[in-house]
Amino acid sequence: MDEIEQVKSKTDIVELIGQYVKLSKAGRNFKGLCPFHNEKSPSFVISPERQIWHCFGCNKGGDSISFVEEYDRIDFAEALKFLAQKAGVTLSGPVHKTEREKKKDSLYELNHLAQQFYSYLLTEHKVGKKALVYLTDERKLPLALIKKFGIGYAPTGENMLAQYLNKKKKYSLEDIIDAGLANQGRVVTDFFRGRVVFPIHDVRGNIIAFSGRGLDDQTFPKYVNTRETKLYRKSESLYGIFFAKEEIRTQKHAILVEGEFDVLTSFREGISNIVAVKGTALTLEQ
């Protein structure tokens, strides 16, 4: 049995999909409302015996891996890696990836390194002291919460992050720009400068983008978000979803708010089934 079959055999498809879709028993199968199109009568069916799913409304179907691909809008390699981790299967080597998948992996890595850079400057370096005081004293956020959400500080220098990623970490300027971390002009400049920076995660915990807030009300615009990239679509993103997802499943509902600080102060008070809408309106994808 190869590793892909091991992952599928160790994944209970009913348990997996039941985390996302309310299911009811229907003979030997399970039924629910399809998560991929709007419907009032359930036409989404799971066969536990065959470990497959199919919707008779939109005609989509497949196995556990294809469900994660479709639901989370990710590539095969990402879905396999996610399910392998949940199933306790160690993949012996890299999954064959297309150039598009390799590019996305590189952008994820860049965002992760950027978050570490911003976080270090906020919590460990004197350059982030003003921002840290703003968060802890004015906004009353505990340091543990700041670290949990990976909040950081983007310095005012023209291209400190870009230089760090290019010169020290050996990433190309093209990839740094494609990640939305820098702009191409006469010279390459950092996209976020002089701002508190909030990482935006997807439901699996990958950092897909950032939101930056100016430290005073004279900064315009007050908030800026990573421009849309291969990883980030504002209309499909919810701030805090990675940290809120388990409580949302437990509570069976989510509280929607406007901004990052609404989420953070709610978590501070013990309310954790809460997410913030990215953009000015709630979308179907969100």
Side-chain angles (χ1 to χ4, degrees):
M1 183 184 297
D2 65 21
E3 291 171 347
I4 294 174
E5 290 304 317
Q6 286 184 49
V7 170
K8 291 195 287 187
S9 69
K10 291 188 176 183
T11 300
D12 184 327
I13 196 168
V14 175
E15 181 182 345
L16 171 70
I17 296 177
Q19 298 176 50
Y20 306 92
V21 178
K22 185 177 180 180
L23 301 172
S24 59
K25 197 81 165 62
R28 292 185 296 180
N29 298 326
F30 287 81
K31 294 184 70 174
L33 295 175
C34 180
F36 305 123
H37 77 285
N38 291 323
E39 62 178 10
K40 295 182 179 180
S41 299
S43 57
F44 183 87
V45 179
I46 304 170
S47 169
E49 294 177 1
R50 301 172 64 192
Q51 288 291 295
I52 61 172
W53 60 276
H54 183 80
C55 176
F56 292 92
C58 64
N59 209 34
K60 292 181 179 180
D63 56 23
S64 54
I65 299 174
S66 64
F67 178 84
V68 174
E69 283 184 84
E70 186 74 28
Y71 192 90
D72 286 342
R73 300 187 180 188
I74 58 177
D75 298 310
F76 175 83
E78 292 179 87
L80 177 61
K81 182 180 178 181
F82 169 72
L83 290 177
Q85 290 173 338
K86 289 177 67 70
V89 176
T90 301
L91 301 176
S92 60
V95 180
H96 175 71
K97 296 182 179 181
T98 65
E99 289 304 312
R100 179 174 176 270
E101 290 168 338
K102 291 177 183 177
K103 178 73 170 183
K104 288 181 70 175
D105 282 349
S106 179
L107 300 186
Y108 283 132
E109 291 163 4
L110 277 164
N111 282 341
H112 176 70
L113 289 170
Q115 186 276 323
Q116 290 183 323
F117 177 85
Y118 293 142
S119 179
Y120 171 76
L121 292 183
L122 176 70
T123 61
E124 304 289 340
H125 198 283
K126 63 182 180 181
V127 75
K129 184 176 180 180
K130 179 181 176 181
L132 187 60
V133 168
Y134 166 74
L135 292 171
T136 57
D137 293 9
E138 290 188 41
R139 292 292 188 160
K140 308 299 182 185
L141 296 181
L143 184 59
L145 188 65
I146 290 170
K147 291 183 175 181
K148 175 178 179 176
F149 277 78
I151 302 169
Y153 174 68
T156 56
E158 187 175 55
N159 55 12
M160 290 178 66
L161 175 66
Q163 288 292 311
Y164 168 74
L165 295 173
N166 178 237
K167 302 297 185 184
K168 190 173 181 65
K169 295 301 181 180
K170 308 303 181 184
Y171 283 86
S172 70
L173 290 174
E174 179 185 358
D175 280 354
I176 296 167
I177 293 167
D178 287 347
L181 297 170
N183 291 324
Q184 177 68 69
R186 181 179 56 82
V187 295
V188 173
T189 57
D190 291 346
F191 183 79
F192 296 101
R193 287 181 286 171
R195 293 176 179 272
V196 174
V197 181
F198 306 88
I200 301 170
H201 299 80
D202 65 17
V203 74
R204 297 174 313 285
N206 297 312
I207 299 172
I208 56 175
F210 296 89
S211 177
R213 188 201 190 280
L215 283 176
D216 58 66
D217 291 334
Q218 303 305 311
T219 303
F220 183 81
K222 184 184 292 186
Y223 282 93
V224 293
N225 294 304
T226 300
R227 62 179 177 273
E228 297 208 340
T229 68
K230 292 182 183 297
L231 303 182
Y232 178 59
R233 296 289 182 272
K234 183 168 62 175
S235 63
E236 299 174 3
S237 303
L238 293 165
Y239 178 74
I241 186 64
F242 175 66
F243 303 100
K245 62 180 181 180
E246 295 304 326
E247 189 63 17
I248 290 172
R249 286 171 184 160
T250 300
Q251 297 286 345
K252 301 189 186 306
H253 72 274
I255 300 170
L256 296 177
V257 292
E258 183 180 5
E260 288 83 2
F261 281 114
D262 297 323
V263 171
L264 293 163
T265 53
S266 296
F267 265 80
R268 183 192 64 197
E269 301 304 319
I271 302 168
S272 54
N273 60 324
I274 186 163
V275 291
V277 175
K278 302 307 298 177
T280 56
L282 183 65
T283 67
L284 180 61
E285 290 82 4
Q286 289 168 332

